[in-house]
Amino acid sequence: MKGRDGAQLRILVAGASIASGYKSADGNSFRVQIRDALIAAGNDVQMVGTDGKGSNNAFVGEPGLRIEQVMARLDAAIPKISPPPNIILVQVGANDLGQNFKVGTMQDRISTLVDHVCTAIPGVNVILSTLLPSAKTEAGAVTYNSQ
């Protein structure tokens, strides 16, 4: 995580409960820890998005969203963010598993989301998270993450 001269990291975190910080100890999920670690390494970091929890801690998402709903939220948010993000961290899919919603097409739908974002923001770096196992989705998450 060593800083690069002059590069500003404009990071957008997108997803549902985990990305938004639902039930996390401080309500910030992993966003603040990532931001703070990157800044400590000498990076110029701006967390961007249309939802937020305090200064430099924006994101796009809310609890309960499935893949297509996160994509719709990104569609609405991206035109409002200037300058646009150059990194998008996506944590999505647990609600699709938990709701047994089109589980067999999750990879294709996430691929569509990534293609869609890359078309909307040429040159953006998209980082997909693995799914975090939980009691409700463990078997599906393990299977999905292995693919």
Side-chain angles (χ1 to χ4, degrees), residues 62-133:
E62 67 178 78
L65 298 179
R66 295 187 307 259
I67 296 164
E68 287 83 1
Q69 294 167 318
V70 170
M71 187 163 65
R73 293 289 295 267
L74 284 167
D75 281 345
I78 287 170
K80 298 175 185 175
I81 302 169
S82 182
N86 52 17
I87 299 172
I88 299 181
L89 305 177
V90 179
Q91 207 300 318
V92 67
N95 291 318
D96 298 76
L97 283 176
Q99 297 168 23
N100 199 29
F101 183 81
K102 300 181 181 180
V103 172
T105 63
M106 282 177 58
Q107 281 188 311
D108 291 336
R109 292 182 297 122
I110 290 175
S111 181
T112 297
L113 182 150
V114 171
D115 290 344
H116 191 77
V117 167
C118 289
T119 299
I121 309 171
V124 70
N125 296 288
V126 178
I127 301 169
L128 295 174
S129 169
T130 55
L131 297 179
L132 303 175

